[in-house]
Amino acid sequence: GATRAVKVAIIDKSGAPVSGLGVSLHLVRPISTAFDQELTLKAVAPGVYAADVTLPAPGAWELRMVATGGKVPWQATERVFVK
């Protein structure tokens, strides 16, 4: 598979970027755990965290993001389809 950049922008309720977090991304293939990956995103700008990822197979993927170190732990899940 091709390598792609994953970027996450985290802002607070007033719209200000939230820096200084630990952000991780768990990539899960719903049909099999054989290709699951865990990534640590690095800060690339205020409130923006990124990492390069290579998904070895096309199809449905679930991206589970967790951010810690702020006032409140944050998590989100997104489903994507890779061609």
Side-chain angles (χ1 to χ4, degrees):
T3 299
R4 305 213 189 275
V6 175
K7 281 188 181 178
V8 178
I10 301 176
I11 58 174
D12 65 16
K13 62 183 175 182
S14 69
V18 180
S19 297
L21 300 176
V23 181
S24 63
L25 180 65
H26 189 184
L27 301 143
V28 178
R29 191 119 194 260
I31 62 168
S32 169
T33 60
F35 297 122
D36 288 7
Q37 298 180 49
E38 187 81 29
L39 301 171
T40 299
L41 281 66
K42 297 190 183 334
V44 295
V48 180
Y49 303 84
D52 288 335
V53 61
T54 302
L55 297 176
W61 286 85
E62 191 170 277
L63 310 178
R64 300 175 185 166
M65 297 165 274
V66 176
T68 57
K71 293 180 181 176
V72 178
W74 173 87
Q75 61 184 19
T77 301
E78 290 287 330
R79 284 210 166 195
V80 297
F81 189 86
V82 177
K83 292 183 180 184

